[in-house]
Amino acid sequence: MITHLLFDHDGVLVETEHWYFEATREALARLGVIMTFDDYKQHLVDGKSSWTAASSKGVTTTELDAARAWRDDRYQYYLQREDIDIPGVDAVLRELSQSFQMAVITTSKRQDYELIHRNRTLLDNMAFVLCREDYNQAKPHAEPYEAGLERFGIEPDNALVIEDSQRGLAAAVAAGIGTIKVHNEFVAHQRADADYSIQSLQELPDLLKQINQDPDDA
């Protein structure tokens, strides 16, 4: 029986990933490095740093640190000014809160997460949020989702993870938790298997009803 839901954040509950790419692209351009969207997508797949090209051009560690800080500020600028809401998510979460306990497990930094939700009530029904500072090893390592299970005091069989990316799904699988992949055009190029797939979060309530009616399928 599924009683708990563990949600990824960026790309699942809010649409922030394009703006993180844009901030990174601009920061690298200031160092004389051109990074295309195809480059960035490949970095997401292979886990390589977007800053490797800058290092190979002789950019110093001090300059890289300054560029990353500039990127972080630029990203926060976008978070405060761009439309990052995904239509229908708020209503879906309110509906699900009547039947499930829920939490967010994200690789976002807490300051970014808090900035996004400063004037939003989107996640009022979440029991807790684990941000990047709350665990040692990031996705695709199992630790973030294992920490979520431990915080709830539940076994993997009682939960499902809702993710959009290859790395996030791999983390859930490593933690022994079933997965639901939500389509996100930004990471659609990534090939990642999941137990279930949906085109949008609005399909999630009906899918969960089906899963809990036939627990052997979960």
Side-chain angles (χ1 to χ4, degrees), residues 4 10 34 47 58 179:
H4 293 69
D10 299 279
I34 303 302
T179 55

Side-chain angles (χ1 to χ4, degrees), residues 16 19-24 68-82 84 108-118 120 133:
T16 57
W19 300 111
Y20 192 78
F21 157 71
E22 185 62 23
T24 303
R68 288 191 181 96
W70 187 93
R71 185 272 313 275
D72 292 345
D73 288 343
R74 187 66 170 170
Y75 179 51
Q76 292 187 0
Y77 170 88
Y78 285 134
L79 292 180
Q80 296 176 82
R81 288 163 176 81
E82 300 297 337
I84 60 173
S108 290
K109 298 174 184 176
R110 187 162 293 278
Q111 63 178 359
D112 294 336
Y113 174 87
E114 291 177 348
L115 181 62
I116 289 169
H117 295 286
R118 180 180 297 167
R120 288 181 170 86
E133 296 86 348

